[in-house]
């Protein structure tokens, strides 16, 4: 497909074909260019390329590589972004997006409910370099409005928070930020590129941990930052290529192949997650079932507008606290106890003692991370097996 045909193609078609670069051998599956460097035809050619590299000209794999470029172009096409830069991990993407655009004296407003490492960057790293950060309840537009002011340079949030699955209104928060000229950076991991197009909804910069649904089979760490070409190439790329957070060619190949099946996998996983939530709502061993796609979710209408579906993750709050939650986890036979998400395997996590263990109790209370809470990332197993597994394990609670 040529670029004009790709532009009008549907997302699933773009996810299979966009960004393909064929070598002289005409390979069907994308080649892995496992090389750190590139040979120049002459000294003059090297000089010219260092002055300005063309779209098919590479210098050093930390700056760019053909396999990595294929992944960047493919996910940019899928997301509807002008450009993308692939990173060594999701955290390299979050750190790069924020640190490359901020300087001492800037003000940032961030949602409080964040992945632990994101919280570290906002709370520790930015503060150390003189950036002031105000934290708000991401679901409360009034708090966003009060915190965002003329000095605000950026706002940051996870569109669906981990592990309590609160949803931030991308369009509304973006409108508030844009009134003062602040850039909106959205970590869209839980929503996935399949269910939410954050750029079309108002975000300026979108980051993904590709480790999650994009790989989707638990093999490799990776990340990506998407946005306008000017931002990606003039602000982000210099920071990333000189500080070393670039994606490896082999990882880019894993992620490229992941994009081909992303839509199918994520839709199947979300369908099973919805079925599992439906089977668990009202269970007498559970104080709460949190699933953005279920009508009991407090932001069900926003979820329908912003994501269409509820995604691949649900959380349950087992009555009886930690002991009961541990009995459930230890009785699970189909799923596994681990802490990745978006994987083909169903993964169960006890946030209070693992991913969020270090948060002070009052912060856990404020975020709703109770001792009975279990996060379930629904995989590709048959939903009937998953429902039977959970119902059987709940008998042990
Ligand atoms: C996992 C995750 C990250 C970090 O990604 P890594 O690939 O593990 O570095 C960032 N944000 C969210 C919401 C995540 O779930």
């Amino acid at each position: 497909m040529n670029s004009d045909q790709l532009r009008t193609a549907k997302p699933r078609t773009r996810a299979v074909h966009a960004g393909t670069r064929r070598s002289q051998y005409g390979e069907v599956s994308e080649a892995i260019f496992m090389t750190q460097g590139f040979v120049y035809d002459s000294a003059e050619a090297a000089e010219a390329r260092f002055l300005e590299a063309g779209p098919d000209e590479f210098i050093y794999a930390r700056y760019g590589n053909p396999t990595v470029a294929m992944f960047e172009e493919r996910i940019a096409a899928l997301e509807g972004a002008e450009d993308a830069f692939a990173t060594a991990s999701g955290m390299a993407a979050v750190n790069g997006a924020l640190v490359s655009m901020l300087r001492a004296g800037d003000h940032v407003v961030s949602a409080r409910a964040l992945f632990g490492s994101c919280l570290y960057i906002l709370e520790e790293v930015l503060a150390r370099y003189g950036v002031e950060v105000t934290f708000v309840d991401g679901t409360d537009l009034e708090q966003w409005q009060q915190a965002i002011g003329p000095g605000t340079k950026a706002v940051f949030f996870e569109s669906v928070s981990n592990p309590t699955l609160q949803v931030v209104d991308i369009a509304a928060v973006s409108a508030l930020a844009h009134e003062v000229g602040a850039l909106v950076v959205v970590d869209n991991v839980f929503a996935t590129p399949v269910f939410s197009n954050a750029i079309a909804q108002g975000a300026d910069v979108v980051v993904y941990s590709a480790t999650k649904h994009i790989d989707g089979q638990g093999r490799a760490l990776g990340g990506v930052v998407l946005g306008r070409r000017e931002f990606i190439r003039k602000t982000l790329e210099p920071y990333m290529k000189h500080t070393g957070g670039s994606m490896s060619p082999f990882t880019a190949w894993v992620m490229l192949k992941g994009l081909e099946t992303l839509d199918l996998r994520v839709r199947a996983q979300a369908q099973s997650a919805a079925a599992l939530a439906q089977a668990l709502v009202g269970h007498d061993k559970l104080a709460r079932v949190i699933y953005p796609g279920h009508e009991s979710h407090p932001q069900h209408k926003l979820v329908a507008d912003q994501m269409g579906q509820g995604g691949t993750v649900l959380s349950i709050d087992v009555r009886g606290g930690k002991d009961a939650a541990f009995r459930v986890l230890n009785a699970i036979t189909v799923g596994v106890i681990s802490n990745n998400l978006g994987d083909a395997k169903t993964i169960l996590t006890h946030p209070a003692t693992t991913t969020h263990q270090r948060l002070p109790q009052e912060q856990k209370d404020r975020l709703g991370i109770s001792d009975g809470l279990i996060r379930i990332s629904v995989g590709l197993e048959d939903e009937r097996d998953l429902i039977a597994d959970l119902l059987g394990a709940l008998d042990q609670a």
Side-chain angles (χ1 to χ4, degrees):
M1 296 182 82
N2 65 35
S3 55
D4 281 341
Q5 293 163 333
L6 274 168
R7 236 190 306 280
T8 53
K10 299 283 183 281
R12 242 168 76 175
T13 307
R14 280 182 255 146
V16 175
H17 290 289
T20 303
R21 290 161 184 254
R22 291 213 163 85
S23 77
Q24 72 271 34
Y25 300 113
E27 63 280 356
V28 173
S29 178
E30 296 75 4
I32 310 177
F33 290 93
M34 216 57 206
T35 179
Q36 54 60 42
F38 303 84
V39 174
Y40 313 100
D41 289 340
S42 64
E44 289 79 7
E47 182 186 29
R49 199 173 296 182
F50 269 77
L51 191 64
E52 190 175 0
D56 270 321
E57 295 181 338
F58 298 91
I59 292 172
Y60 192 61
R62 178 151 44 73
Y63 295 17
N65 166 289
T67 313
V68 177
M70 287 193 258
F71 170 67
E72 290 171 343
E73 282 171 35
R74 186 166 294 175
I75 186 149
L78 180 61
E79 187 75 24
E82 282 182 15
D83 214 338
F85 192 93
T87 58
S89 68
M91 286 325 302
V94 173
N95 183 67
L98 292 170
V99 174
S100 70
M101 69 164 72
L102 296 168
R103 59 185 64 240
D106 284 344
H107 176 236
V108 173
V109 182
S110 172
R112 190 176 289 117
L114 295 179
F115 182 71
S117 301
C118 295
L119 192 63
Y120 176 80
I121 289 173
L122 282 138
E123 223 169 26
E124 303 274 336
V125 179
L126 294 184
R128 208 182 292 159
Y129 293 96
V131 175
E132 192 201 332
V133 183
T134 306
F135 289 98
V136 298
D137 173 347
T139 64
D140 185 343
L141 283 176
E142 233 165 76
Q143 288 193 24
W144 283 107
Q145 182 156 28
Q146 271 165 17
I148 294 170
T152 306
K153 191 74 187 298
V155 308
F156 178 77
F157 57 88
E158 293 169 12
S159 55
V160 181
S161 75
N162 173 28
T164 50
L165 310 175
Q166 295 180 342
V167 182
V168 177
D169 187 333
I170 298 174
V173 174
S174 298
L176 291 171
H178 291 156
E179 273 177 34
V180 299
L183 289 176
V184 178
V185 183
V186 177
D187 180 335
N188 214 26
V189 165
F190 278 63
T192 83
V194 173
F195 295 136
S196 157
N197 188 331
I199 287 185
Q201 288 157 348
D204 300 289
V205 178
V206 179
V207 296
Y208 286 105
S209 164
T211 315
K212 311 294 165 56
H213 304 82
I214 293 173
D215 174 359
Q217 292 166 73
R219 298 163 294 191
L221 279 174
V224 65
V225 184
L226 301 116
R228 281 188 281 277
R229 181 150 302 132
E230 173 85 10
F231 170 75
I232 297 293
R233 295 300 154 195
K234 298 272 162 59
T235 302
L236 180 82
E237 182 192 298
Y239 178 82
M240 293 309 303
K241 78 182 186 187
H242 294 306
T243 57
S246 308
M247 180 179 274
S248 89
F250 180 73
T251 297
W253 179 80
V254 170
M255 300 306 177
L256 262 172
K257 304 317 281 181
L259 284 179
E260 294 182 345
T261 57
L262 178 71
D263 189 291
L264 293 175
R265 287 185 283 107
V266 165
R267 286 186 197 282
Q269 287 168 251
Q271 196 178 329
S272 297
L276 188 55
Q278 188 62 43
L280 296 178
V281 165
H283 193 289
D284 60 6
K285 299 280 177 70
L286 297 176
R288 268 195 309 171
V289 174
I290 311 172
Y291 181 61
H294 194 270
E295 64 214 15
S296 61
H297 191 282
Q299 297 163 292
H300 187 57
K301 163 118 188 19
L302 174 62
V303 173
D305 292 346
Q306 187 164 297
M307 292 169 56
Q309 297 195 34
T312 66
V313 180
L314 66 146
S315 292
I316 56 176
D317 193 353
V318 183
R319 289 187 205 279
K322 176 181 163 185
D323 290 349
F326 274 27
R327 282 195 294 274
V328 172
L329 284 168
N330 291 334
I332 289 287
T333 58
V334 179
V336 295
I337 302 170
S338 188
N339 38 262
N340 191 19
L341 62 96
D343 198 278
K345 295 179 173 63
T346 291
I347 292 177
L348 295 94
T349 311
H350 186 250
T353 54
T354 60
T355 53
H356 294 71
Q357 185 188 117
R358 277 170 305 166
L359 286 189
Q361 188 58 44
E362 71 153 62
Q363 180 87 324
K364 286 183 194 167
D365 293 344
R366 178 141 66 164
L367 296 174
I369 303 170
S370 58
D371 288 342
L373 197 73
I374 296 174
R375 186 188 78 188
I376 308 171
S377 167
V378 176
L380 285 169
E381 302 92 341
D382 192 304
E383 68 188 39
R384 292 166 293 190
D385 289 333
L386 293 175
I387 291 169
D389 195 23
L390 256 298
L391 292 177
L394 281 170
D395 283 343
Q396 307 301 312

